[in-house]
Amino acid sequence: KKKENNALLRYLLDKDDV
Amino acid sequence: SSMNLEFSQLSMLPHLADLVSYSIQKVIGFAKMIPGFRDLSAEDQIVLLKSSAIEVIMLRSNQSFTLEDMSWTCGSNDFKYRVSDVTQAGHSMDLLEPLVKFQVGLKKLNLHEEEHVLLMAICILSPDRPGVQDTSLVESLQDKLSEILQTYIRCRHPPPGSRLLYAKMIQKLADLRSLNEEHSRQYRCLSFQPEHSMQLTPLVLEVFGNEIS
């Protein structure tokens, strides 16, 4: 199973406004 | 046969995937506003969001659910979603029957907006989600929210609606766990088929999992 990086989630959590 | 064709093509799937993808973004924005959530490690924030996303979407969709015709009606009839629309997105009655029952029960609690919001926050900050590292920190944040909710009900929610309201709300969280499980089962089934998983959005694939990778 490939390692999950959750890049989109990380980006949405980091950015100031969603 | 046209019904079968419609079902095999899952005509509502792209639309529902967009709607769920948009809702996930709203859930993330909401989580970020919960006191203490941003102080958790990035890994715990991700674990909590991935495990609660579908439950919070089910909770927040109660605001558009109407007992009049058991549909989710957003504004006008142009944005009315019925059970049949969700089956055309690949979900079966094993999910939809208990989901509608859940929506009816939740609607009948007549929650104040404050209670509704606190319930969503409590749902996100569940320390027992698999993979949570700092369970005691998540638990203390959830405890604080539960205290606030109980105080709110005691001080602001008049009887008879307030009777056993907190307990009934906690029961709704238990109901959501089984709805979440059934959703995962059906999602897995759907995402196993490339012709269907290709209609999902990158965010949906990331949050609910991508079986084809």
Side-chain angles (χ1 to χ4, degrees), chain B residues 99-140:
Chain B
L99 176 59
V100 168
K101 209 179 236 175
F102 170 84
Q103 297 294 344
V104 170
L106 185 58
K107 201 80 192 175
K108 286 185 173 167
L109 292 184
N110 286 310
L111 297 185
H112 296 179
E113 191 178 5
E114 292 85 346
E115 294 158 342
H116 184 77
V117 165
L118 283 164
L119 187 59
M120 292 193 292
I122 289 168
C123 177
I124 293 171
L125 287 166
S126 300
D128 61 332
R129 304 287 189 186
V132 172
Q133 295 296 310
D134 198 341
T135 47
S136 56
L137 181 51
V138 176
E139 193 172 3
S140 71

Side-chain angles (χ1 to χ4, degrees), chain B residues 7 16 58 65 70 72 81-104 179 182-183 186:
Chain B
F7 187 78
L16 198 73
M58 288 169 174
F65 188 81
M70 304 289 170
W72 289 267
Y81 303 96
R82 296 178 192 81
V83 162
S84 59
D85 293 317
V86 191
T87 56
Q88 281 174 47
H91 284 296
S92 79
M93 291 312 287
D94 290 340
L95 176 66
L96 290 162
E97 197 258 339
L99 176 59
V100 168
K101 209 179 236 175
F102 170 84
Q103 297 294 344
V104 170
L179 289 167
E182 184 56 35
H183 173 267
Q186 298 193 10

Side-chain angles (χ1 to χ4, degrees), chain B residues 3-18:
Chain B
M3 180 79 176
N4 284 339
L5 186 66
E6 198 157 40
F7 187 78
S8 66
Q9 293 178 337
L10 300 187
S11 56
M12 281 296 286
L13 182 56
H15 183 67
L16 198 73
D18 271 344

Side-chain angles (χ1 to χ4, degrees), chain A residues 1-2 4-18, chain B residues 25 28-29 32 37-38 42-43 45-46 49-50 202-203 206-207 213:
Chain A
K1 197 176 159 73
K2 83 176 170 99
E4 295 176 349
N5 61 14
N6 300 303
L8 270 173
L9 263 173
R10 282 178 209 282
Y11 167 72
L12 291 170
L13 279 166
D14 275 345
K15 75 197 273 273
D16 284 332
D17 57 312
V18 171
Chain B
Q25 294 181 56
I28 296 168
K32 288 163 75 169
F37 183 81
R38 304 301 313 269
E43 300 313 309
Q45 291 181 44
I46 287 167
L49 275 171
K50 288 177 86 164
L203 185 58
E206 190 173 294
V207 170
S213 56

Side-chain angles (χ1 to χ4, degrees), chain B residues 143-154:
Chain B
D143 284 348
K144 246 178 264 173
L145 293 165
S146 303
E147 290 287 334
I148 295 169
L149 174 58
Q150 290 175 79
T151 305
Y152 180 90
I153 293 171
R154 200 164 48 238

